[in-house]
Amino acid sequence: MRLRQAFGISCITLLATSITLAAQATPAKAIEVGDVPNPRQQGGWVTDMADILSPATETELNQLISALEAHNGTEIAVVTVSDTAGAASPKAFVHELFNTWGVGKANVNNGVVFLVSVGDRRAEIETGYGIVKILPDQRVTSLLEQRAVPRFKEGDYDRGVLSVTEGMITILEDSTPYNPVISPLMDLSNGIKVLILAGGGVLAFFARGLQKFSKKPIQGMPGDQERLSWLQGLLVQPVDCTRCQQRMIQTDKNTLYVHLKKPQRVASDLGNIRCKGWQCPTCQGVYVPIFDKSGRRKYCQRCAEKTLRISSDIEVYPTYSHSGRKRVTTHCECCNDHHERTVTLPRKERSSSSSSSSSSSSSSRSSSRSSGRSFGGGRSGGSGGGASW
Protein backbone atom coordinates (compact mmCIF):
# COMPACT_ATOMS: atom_id res chain seq x y z
CA MET A 1 0.00 0.00 0.00
CA ARG A 2 2.75 2.36 0.98
CA LEU A 3 4.67 1.47 -2.17
CA ARG A 4 1.62 2.34 -4.32
CA GLN A 5 1.16 5.70 -2.55
CA ALA A 6 4.85 6.52 -2.92
CA PHE A 7 4.76 5.54 -6.58
CA GLY A 8 1.67 7.70 -7.17
CA ILE A 9 3.25 10.72 -5.47
CA SER A 10 6.41 10.27 -7.53
CA CYS A 11 4.41 10.18 -10.76
CA ILE A 12 2.48 13.32 -9.82
CA THR A 13 5.69 15.12 -8.89
CA LEU A 14 7.36 14.05 -12.14
CA LEU A 15 4.33 15.19 -14.17
CA ALA A 16 4.26 18.59 -12.44
CA THR A 17 7.99 19.05 -13.00
CA SER A 18 7.62 18.17 -16.68
CA ILE A 19 4.79 20.69 -17.13
CA THR A 20 6.84 23.42 -15.41
CA LEU A 21 9.90 22.73 -17.56
CA ALA A 22 7.80 22.70 -20.70
CA ALA A 23 6.23 26.02 -19.77
CA GLN A 24 9.64 27.51 -19.12
CA ALA A 25 11.02 26.13 -22.38
CA THR A 26 8.16 27.68 -24.40
CA PRO A 27 9.15 31.31 -25.06
CA ALA A 28 6.59 34.11 -24.97
CA LYS A 29 5.43 35.23 -28.41
CA ALA A 30 7.64 38.07 -29.65
CA ILE A 31 5.88 41.31 -30.57
CA GLU A 32 5.72 41.81 -34.32
CA VAL A 33 5.01 45.07 -36.11
CA GLY A 34 1.65 43.69 -37.17
CA ASP A 35 0.70 43.17 -33.51
CA VAL A 36 0.89 46.90 -32.73
CA PRO A 37 -2.57 48.55 -32.95
CA ASN A 38 -2.73 51.58 -35.23
CA PRO A 39 -3.80 54.49 -32.96
CA ARG A 40 -5.48 56.36 -35.82
CA GLN A 41 -8.13 53.65 -35.98
CA GLN A 42 -9.24 54.89 -32.56
CA GLY A 43 -8.86 58.54 -33.54
CA GLY A 44 -5.70 59.09 -31.48
CA TRP A 45 -1.93 59.16 -31.87
CA VAL A 46 -0.76 56.99 -28.94
CA THR A 47 -0.43 53.19 -28.62
CA ASP A 48 0.66 52.21 -25.09
CA MET A 49 1.17 48.45 -25.36
CA ALA A 50 3.66 48.47 -22.45
CA ASP A 51 1.05 50.19 -20.23
CA ILE A 52 3.52 52.76 -18.87
CA LEU A 53 1.55 55.94 -19.56
CA SER A 54 -1.26 57.32 -17.45
CA PRO A 55 -4.62 58.16 -19.07
CA ALA A 56 -3.98 61.86 -18.36
CA THR A 57 -0.66 61.71 -20.25
CA GLU A 58 -2.23 59.92 -23.21
CA THR A 59 -4.97 62.55 -23.36
CA GLU A 60 -2.46 65.40 -23.30
CA LEU A 61 -0.29 63.75 -25.96
CA ASN A 62 -3.29 63.27 -28.24
CA GLN A 63 -4.30 66.92 -27.79
CA LEU A 64 -0.80 68.25 -28.47
CA ILE A 65 -0.30 66.14 -31.59
CA SER A 66 -3.81 66.90 -32.88
CA ALA A 67 -3.09 70.64 -32.54
CA LEU A 68 0.18 70.23 -34.47
CA GLU A 69 -1.48 68.19 -37.22
CA ALA A 70 -4.26 70.79 -37.49
CA HIS A 71 -1.62 73.55 -37.73
CA ASN A 72 0.67 72.21 -40.45
CA GLY A 73 -0.21 68.58 -41.13
CA THR A 74 2.72 67.00 -39.25
CA GLU A 75 1.87 63.55 -37.85
CA ILE A 76 3.49 62.04 -34.74
CA ALA A 77 2.86 58.50 -33.48
CA VAL A 78 3.88 57.63 -29.90
CA VAL A 79 4.28 53.89 -29.29
CA THR A 80 5.39 51.90 -26.24
CA VAL A 81 6.12 48.15 -26.30
CA SER A 82 7.46 45.65 -23.80
CA ASP A 83 10.32 44.70 -26.15
CA THR A 84 11.25 44.36 -29.82
CA ALA A 85 12.57 40.80 -29.74
CA GLY A 86 10.73 40.03 -32.98
CA ALA A 87 12.98 42.46 -34.89
CA ALA A 88 16.72 42.72 -35.43
CA SER A 89 16.84 45.84 -33.23
CA PRO A 90 14.54 48.58 -31.86
CA LYS A 91 15.69 50.76 -34.78
CA ALA A 92 14.69 48.12 -37.31
CA PHE A 93 11.35 47.71 -35.52
CA VAL A 94 10.46 51.42 -35.55
CA HIS A 95 11.57 51.79 -39.19
CA GLU A 96 9.29 48.96 -40.31
CA LEU A 97 6.45 50.29 -38.16
CA PHE A 98 6.80 53.78 -39.67
CA ASN A 99 6.55 52.60 -43.26
CA THR A 100 3.85 50.02 -42.48
CA TRP A 101 1.57 52.71 -41.07
CA GLY A 102 2.72 55.43 -43.52
CA VAL A 103 3.10 58.16 -40.91
CA GLY A 104 3.00 61.70 -42.37
CA LYS A 105 1.40 63.15 -45.48
CA ALA A 106 2.26 61.30 -48.67
CA ASN A 107 3.51 64.27 -50.69
CA VAL A 108 5.60 65.89 -47.93
CA ASN A 109 6.59 62.88 -45.73
CA ASN A 110 6.24 64.93 -42.55
CA GLY A 111 5.84 62.07 -40.08
CA VAL A 112 7.55 61.02 -36.84
CA VAL A 113 7.33 57.80 -34.78
CA PHE A 114 8.49 57.93 -31.16
CA LEU A 115 9.07 54.39 -29.83
CA VAL A 116 9.82 53.37 -26.23
CA SER A 117 10.86 49.73 -25.73
CA VAL A 118 10.86 49.04 -21.98
CA GLY A 119 12.51 45.63 -22.09
CA ASP A 120 15.28 46.87 -24.39
CA ARG A 121 15.66 50.03 -22.27
CA ARG A 122 15.81 51.88 -25.55
CA ALA A 123 14.00 54.86 -27.09
CA GLU A 124 13.98 55.50 -30.84
CA ILE A 125 12.64 58.34 -32.97
CA GLU A 126 12.17 57.74 -36.71
CA THR A 127 11.66 60.77 -38.98
CA GLY A 128 10.18 61.02 -42.48
CA TYR A 129 12.04 62.30 -45.52
CA GLY A 130 10.52 65.77 -45.17
CA ILE A 131 11.43 66.13 -41.47
CA VAL A 132 15.16 65.38 -41.70
CA LYS A 133 16.29 68.99 -42.27
CA ILE A 134 13.97 70.37 -39.59
CA LEU A 135 14.71 67.65 -37.05
CA PRO A 136 18.18 66.25 -37.91
CA ASP A 137 19.52 63.05 -36.36
CA GLN A 138 21.83 64.81 -33.90
CA ARG A 139 19.00 66.96 -32.58
CA VAL A 140 16.76 63.92 -32.18
CA THR A 141 19.40 62.12 -30.13
CA SER A 142 19.96 65.24 -28.02
CA LEU A 143 16.24 65.48 -27.24
CA LEU A 144 16.15 61.87 -26.05
CA GLU A 145 19.35 62.11 -24.00
CA GLN A 146 18.38 65.37 -22.30
CA ARG A 147 14.63 64.95 -21.84
CA ALA A 148 13.89 61.22 -21.76
CA VAL A 149 16.87 59.29 -20.39
CA PRO A 150 17.11 61.01 -16.96
CA ARG A 151 13.37 60.53 -16.34
CA PHE A 152 13.26 56.98 -17.70
CA LYS A 153 16.07 56.03 -15.30
CA GLU A 154 13.80 57.18 -12.47
CA GLY A 155 10.87 55.21 -13.89
CA ASP A 156 8.97 58.39 -14.76
CA TYR A 157 7.83 57.47 -18.27
CA ASP A 158 4.97 60.00 -18.26
CA ARG A 159 7.23 63.04 -17.89
CA GLY A 160 9.90 61.63 -20.20
CA VAL A 161 7.56 60.85 -23.11
CA LEU A 162 5.65 64.12 -22.69
CA SER A 163 8.83 66.22 -22.50
CA VAL A 164 10.33 64.71 -25.66
CA THR A 165 7.05 65.12 -27.54
CA GLU A 166 6.74 68.76 -26.48
CA GLY A 167 10.33 69.38 -27.60
CA MET A 168 9.66 67.91 -31.04
CA ILE A 169 6.44 69.89 -31.43
CA THR A 170 8.23 73.13 -30.53
CA ILE A 171 10.62 72.51 -33.42
CA LEU A 172 8.11 71.11 -35.90
CA GLU A 173 5.34 73.67 -35.44
CA ASP A 174 7.45 76.25 -37.32
CA SER A 175 7.60 74.08 -40.44
CA THR A 176 5.56 74.96 -43.51
CA PRO A 177 1.81 74.44 -42.93
CA TYR A 178 0.19 71.71 -44.99
CA ASN A 179 -3.03 72.49 -46.79
CA PRO A 180 -4.77 69.56 -48.53
CA VAL A 181 -5.87 71.89 -51.35
CA ILE A 182 -3.03 74.42 -51.62
CA SER A 183 -0.04 72.13 -50.97
CA PRO A 184 -0.54 69.93 -54.09
CA LEU A 185 -0.87 73.14 -56.15
CA MET A 186 2.38 74.40 -54.60
CA ASP A 187 4.04 71.14 -55.60
CA LEU A 188 2.82 71.69 -59.17
CA SER A 189 4.06 75.30 -59.05
CA ASN A 190 7.47 74.15 -57.83
CA GLY A 191 7.62 71.65 -60.67
CA ILE A 192 6.89 74.41 -63.20
CA LYS A 193 9.62 76.55 -61.62
CA VAL A 194 12.09 73.69 -61.98
CA LEU A 195 11.21 73.35 -65.66
CA ILE A 196 11.67 77.09 -66.18
CA LEU A 197 15.03 77.07 -64.40
CA ALA A 198 16.10 74.01 -66.35
CA GLY A 199 15.16 75.72 -69.59
CA GLY A 200 17.10 78.81 -68.52
CA GLY A 201 20.08 76.61 -67.69
CA VAL A 202 19.99 75.05 -71.16
CA LEU A 203 19.89 78.50 -72.78
CA ALA A 204 22.75 79.66 -70.55
CA PHE A 205 24.75 76.58 -71.55
CA PHE A 206 24.40 77.31 -75.26
CA ALA A 207 25.03 81.01 -74.70
CA ARG A 208 28.20 80.20 -72.81
CA GLY A 209 29.29 77.90 -75.61
CA LEU A 210 28.81 80.72 -78.09
CA GLN A 211 30.80 83.08 -75.86
CA LYS A 212 33.85 80.84 -76.19
CA PHE A 213 33.97 81.81 -79.85
CA SER A 214 32.99 85.42 -79.24
CA LYS A 215 35.41 88.20 -80.08
CA LYS A 216 34.48 90.04 -76.86
CA PRO A 217 35.02 87.82 -73.83
CA ILE A 218 35.74 89.24 -70.36
CA GLN A 219 39.05 91.06 -70.36
CA GLY A 220 41.15 90.22 -67.27
CA MET A 221 44.29 92.00 -66.20
CA PRO A 222 46.66 89.55 -64.43
CA GLY A 223 46.80 90.31 -60.72
CA ASP A 224 43.44 92.10 -60.72
CA GLN A 225 40.50 91.12 -58.50
CA GLU A 226 36.92 92.05 -59.24
CA ARG A 227 33.78 91.62 -57.12
CA LEU A 228 30.73 90.39 -58.97
CA SER A 229 27.24 89.46 -57.92
CA TRP A 230 26.37 85.81 -57.30
CA LEU A 231 24.15 85.84 -60.41
CA GLN A 232 27.03 87.09 -62.54
CA GLY A 233 29.14 84.30 -61.08
CA LEU A 234 26.73 81.70 -62.43
CA LEU A 235 27.03 83.06 -65.99
CA VAL A 236 30.68 84.08 -66.01
CA GLN A 237 32.26 84.26 -69.45
CA PRO A 238 35.66 83.00 -70.60
CA VAL A 239 38.53 85.35 -69.79
CA ASP A 240 41.18 86.79 -72.10
CA CYS A 241 44.41 88.27 -70.78
CA THR A 242 44.55 91.98 -71.67
CA ARG A 243 48.35 91.91 -71.55
CA CYS A 244 49.01 88.90 -73.81
CA GLN A 245 45.66 88.58 -75.59
CA GLN A 246 45.66 84.87 -74.73
CA ARG A 247 42.69 82.86 -73.47
CA MET A 248 43.23 82.25 -69.74
CA ILE A 249 42.94 78.80 -68.17
CA GLN A 250 40.97 78.21 -64.96
CA THR A 251 43.29 77.47 -62.05
CA ASP A 252 43.08 74.85 -59.33
CA LYS A 253 42.25 75.71 -55.73
CA ASN A 254 45.84 75.76 -54.49
CA THR A 255 46.94 78.22 -57.15
CA LEU A 256 43.88 80.34 -56.52
CA TYR A 257 44.49 80.52 -52.74
CA VAL A 258 48.01 81.89 -53.26
CA HIS A 259 46.50 84.98 -54.88
CA LEU A 260 43.80 85.53 -52.24
CA LYS A 261 44.20 87.65 -49.14
CA LYS A 262 43.81 85.88 -45.80
CA PRO A 263 40.29 87.28 -45.13
CA GLN A 264 39.20 86.13 -48.58
CA ARG A 265 40.53 82.62 -47.94
CA VAL A 266 38.65 82.52 -44.63
CA ALA A 267 35.44 83.83 -46.23
CA SER A 268 35.77 81.23 -49.00
CA ASP A 269 36.22 78.40 -46.49
CA LEU A 270 33.13 79.59 -44.61
CA GLY A 271 31.14 79.62 -47.85
CA ASN A 272 30.38 83.36 -47.58
CA ILE A 273 32.05 84.14 -50.91
CA ARG A 274 32.94 82.13 -54.01
CA CYS A 275 36.13 82.69 -55.95
CA LYS A 276 37.42 81.60 -59.33
CA GLY A 277 40.83 82.04 -60.83
CA TRP A 278 42.13 82.19 -64.41
CA GLN A 279 45.81 82.09 -65.27
CA CYS A 280 47.43 83.33 -68.44
CA PRO A 281 49.52 80.56 -70.05
CA THR A 282 51.97 83.15 -71.43
CA CYS A 283 52.68 85.65 -68.64
CA GLN A 284 51.39 83.35 -65.83
CA GLY A 285 49.33 86.23 -64.45
CA VAL A 286 46.18 85.35 -62.51
CA TYR A 287 42.78 87.07 -62.69
CA VAL A 288 40.44 86.41 -59.73
CA PRO A 289 36.76 87.45 -59.74
CA ILE A 290 35.05 87.14 -56.33
CA PHE A 291 31.32 86.44 -56.13
CA ASP A 292 29.35 87.58 -53.06
CA LYS A 293 26.98 84.91 -51.72
CA SER A 294 25.55 86.03 -48.38
CA GLY A 295 24.79 89.71 -48.89
CA ARG A 296 25.30 91.81 -45.77
CA ARG A 297 24.42 89.04 -43.32
CA LYS A 298 27.97 87.67 -42.90
CA TYR A 299 29.66 91.10 -43.05
CA CYS A 300 31.78 91.97 -39.98
CA GLN A 301 31.23 95.56 -38.78
CA ARG A 302 34.69 95.68 -37.19
CA CYS A 303 37.07 94.49 -39.92
CA ALA A 304 34.70 94.95 -42.89
CA GLU A 305 35.28 91.39 -44.12
CA LYS A 306 32.69 88.72 -44.92
CA THR A 307 34.06 86.33 -42.32
CA LEU A 308 31.24 86.02 -39.78
CA ARG A 309 30.18 82.65 -38.40
CA ILE A 310 26.66 82.80 -36.95
CA SER A 311 25.26 80.03 -34.77
CA SER A 312 22.36 79.63 -32.38
CA ASP A 313 21.47 77.19 -29.62
CA ILE A 314 18.16 76.78 -27.80
CA GLU A 315 18.92 76.79 -24.07
CA VAL A 316 15.33 76.54 -22.86
CA TYR A 317 12.56 75.21 -25.05
CA PRO A 318 9.29 77.17 -24.71
CA THR A 319 6.24 75.40 -23.33
CA TYR A 320 2.62 76.34 -22.84
CA SER A 321 3.43 77.62 -19.33
CA HIS A 322 6.70 79.54 -19.82
CA SER A 323 8.78 81.21 -22.54
CA GLY A 324 12.02 79.83 -23.92
CA ARG A 325 15.49 81.19 -24.48
CA LYS A 326 17.90 81.02 -27.41
CA ARG A 327 21.53 82.13 -27.49
CA VAL A 328 22.80 83.60 -30.77
CA THR A 329 26.58 83.73 -31.24
CA THR A 330 28.33 85.89 -33.85
CA HIS A 331 32.07 85.34 -34.29
CA CYS A 332 34.38 86.82 -36.88
CA GLU A 333 36.96 84.28 -38.02
CA CYS A 334 39.20 87.09 -39.27
CA CYS A 335 39.47 89.61 -36.39
CA ASN A 336 37.96 87.38 -33.63
CA ASP A 337 35.27 89.94 -32.85
CA HIS A 338 32.80 87.98 -30.72
CA HIS A 339 29.25 88.80 -29.67
CA GLU A 340 26.57 86.80 -27.88
CA ARG A 341 22.98 87.75 -27.32
CA THR A 342 19.97 86.08 -25.79
CA VAL A 343 16.68 85.92 -27.65
CA THR A 344 13.45 85.20 -25.82
CA LEU A 345 11.25 82.59 -27.47
CA PRO A 346 7.52 83.20 -26.94
CA ARG A 347 5.39 80.72 -25.07
CA LYS A 348 3.53 78.14 -27.07
CA GLU A 349 -0.13 78.89 -27.58
CA ARG A 350 -2.82 76.29 -27.74
CA SER A 351 -5.00 76.66 -30.76
CA SER A 352 -8.74 76.83 -30.26
CA SER A 353 -9.04 73.42 -31.89
CA SER A 354 -6.96 71.84 -29.12
CA SER A 355 -8.59 73.55 -26.11
CA SER A 356 -10.50 71.44 -23.62
CA SER A 357 -13.83 72.79 -24.78
CA SER A 358 -13.28 71.68 -28.37
CA SER A 359 -10.68 68.94 -28.18
CA SER A 360 -13.13 66.29 -29.31
CA SER A 361 -14.15 68.26 -32.41
CA SER A 362 -10.46 68.89 -33.20
CA SER A 363 -9.72 65.18 -32.98
CA SER A 364 -12.56 64.38 -35.33
CA ARG A 365 -11.44 67.03 -37.84
CA SER A 366 -7.81 65.92 -37.82
CA SER A 367 -8.68 62.23 -38.00
CA SER A 368 -11.07 62.78 -40.88
CA ARG A 369 -8.33 64.67 -42.74
CA SER A 370 -5.90 61.79 -42.07
CA SER A 371 -7.38 59.52 -44.73
CA GLY A 372 -10.31 58.08 -42.80
CA ARG A 373 -8.74 57.34 -39.40
CA SER A 374 -5.39 56.37 -40.81
CA PHE A 375 -2.03 58.00 -41.30
CA GLY A 376 -1.40 59.97 -44.49
CA GLY A 377 0.93 57.63 -46.40
CA GLY A 378 4.33 59.16 -45.57
CA ARG A 379 7.66 57.36 -45.92
CA SER A 380 10.97 57.27 -44.07
CA GLY A 381 14.48 56.41 -45.21
CA GLY A 382 15.69 55.49 -41.72
CA SER A 383 16.68 58.90 -40.34
CA GLY A 384 16.32 59.70 -36.66
CA GLY A 385 18.13 58.80 -33.45
CA GLY A 386 17.99 56.73 -30.31
CA ALA A 387 19.18 56.55 -26.71
CA SER A 388 19.44 53.89 -24.00
CA TRP A 389 18.93 54.22 -20.26
Side-chain angles (χ1 to χ4, degrees):
M1 184 67 179
R2 291 180 179 178
L3 291 175
R4 292 180 179 178
Q5 290 177 347
F7 179 75
I9 293 173
S10 299
C11 290
I12 294 173
T13 303
L14 181 60
L15 180 61
T17 303
S18 300
I19 293 174
T20 303
L21 292 175
Q24 292 177 349
T26 303
K29 182 180 181 296
I31 298 176
E32 304 286 347
V33 168
D35 299 328
V36 183
N38 189 328
R40 299 305 296 136
Q41 296 177 356
Q42 303 299 323
W45 306 94
V46 183
T47 296
D48 183 22
M49 290 188 71
D51 196 23
I52 57 175
L53 302 177
S54 67
T57 297
E58 287 193 44
T59 299
E60 186 168 1
L61 287 170
N62 282 322
Q63 290 179 354
L64 290 172
I65 301 171
S66 291
L68 177 67
E69 196 270 344
H71 170 62
N72 60 15
T74 303
E75 298 179 353
I76 300 177
V78 179
V79 180
T80 74
V81 294
S82 58
D83 61 67
T84 58
S89 65
K91 177 62 178 176
F93 186 93
V94 71
H95 178 65
E96 183 182 353
L97 184 67
F98 188 111
N99 289 323
T100 298
W101 285 352
V103 183
K105 299 298 184 288
N107 59 335
V108 287
N109 298 302
N110 55 347
V112 178
V113 175
F114 177 16
L115 173 74
V116 179
S117 178
V118 180
D120 297 310
R121 300 183 69 84
R122 182 74 179 175
E124 293 283 351
I125 292 178
E126 179 95 358
T127 55
Y129 288 111
I131 298 293
V132 175
K133 291 184 178 180
I134 307 169
L135 198 60
D137 297 357
Q138 186 176 1
R139 200 167 192 180
V140 167
T141 303
S142 179
L143 279 174
L144 290 172
E145 291 177 344
Q146 295 177 11
R147 292 173 172 252
V149 171
R151 294 178 172 92
F152 287 177
K153 286 182 178 179
E154 299 172 354
D156 192 349
Y157 294 102
D158 284 311
R159 290 181 59 200
V161 171
L162 192 58
S163 180
V164 171
T165 305
E166 286 181 338
M168 289 193 295
I169 289 175
T170 299
I171 299 169
L172 295 171
E173 65 186 357
D174 292 331
S175 59
T176 304
Y178 171 81
N179 187 300
V181 176
I182 300 300
S183 293
L185 296 179
M186 291 297 294
D187 293 339
L188 178 61
S189 174
N190 291 335
I192 294 174
K193 290 179 182 178
V194 170
L195 290 176
I196 293 175
L197 291 175
V202 172
L203 292 176
F205 174 79
F206 284 109
R208 188 169 179 177
L210 291 174
Q211 287 170 355
K212 290 185 178 181
F213 301 97
S214 172
K215 296 181 180 180
K216 297 181 180 180
I218 290 179
Q219 299 296 311
M221 176 66 72
D224 285 353
Q225 291 186 355
E226 180 182 2
R227 283 190 177 271
L228 303 173
S229 69
W230 177 239
L231 181 60
Q232 289 172 312
L234 293 176
L235 300 175
V236 67
Q237 301 177 21
V239 180
D240 276 3
C241 177
T242 56
R243 180 182 298 165
C244 306
Q245 303 303 316
Q246 296 292 320
R247 180 64 54 88
M248 289 184 166
I249 301 172
Q250 190 167 350
T251 66
D252 56 29
K253 185 175 181 180
N254 293 332
T255 304
L256 171 64
Y257 267 37
V258 171
H259 296 272
L260 292 178
K261 300 176 183 178
K262 180 181 177 181
Q264 293 171 340
R265 291 196 295 268
V266 173
S268 178
D269 291 338
L270 290 172
N272 297 344
I273 64 172
R274 178 171 174 260
C275 308
K276 286 187 176 182
W278 279 269
Q279 188 170 29
C280 177
T282 303
C283 66
Q284 300 300 309
V286 175
Y287 170 73
V288 181
I290 299 173
F291 314 114
D292 292 328
K293 292 181 63 177
S294 56
R296 304 288 297 179
R297 183 169 178 265
K298 302 293 182 68
Y299 178 83
C300 177
Q301 298 294 330
R302 181 178 176 183
C303 66
E305 298 292 346
K306 300 194 69 173
T307 50
L308 285 186
R309 186 190 297 273
I310 302 174
S311 61
S312 62
D313 182 52
I314 298 179
E315 298 179 333
V316 179
Y317 286 89
T319 66
Y320 292 105
S321 59
H322 61 78
S323 59
R325 186 173 66 251
K326 178 173 71 172
R327 181 173 296 277
V328 179
T329 303
T330 304
H331 181 80
C332 178
E333 299 292 340
C334 181
C335 67
N336 290 323
D337 189 35
H338 187 88
H339 297 281
E340 291 187 3
R341 59 189 177 94
T342 301
V343 178
T344 301
L345 302 175
R347 289 189 302 175
K348 297 167 59 177
E349 295 183 0
R350 298 183 188 274
S351 64
S352 58
S353 62
S354 64
S355 62
S356 58
S357 60
S358 60
S359 60
S360 60
S361 61
S362 170
S363 298
S364 62
R365 286 197 301 272
S366 61
S367 62
S368 63
R369 186 166 57 249
S370 300
S371 304
R373 293 188 181 276
S374 180
F375 290 100
R379 302 291 294 174
S380 170
S383 297
S388 301
W389 69 91

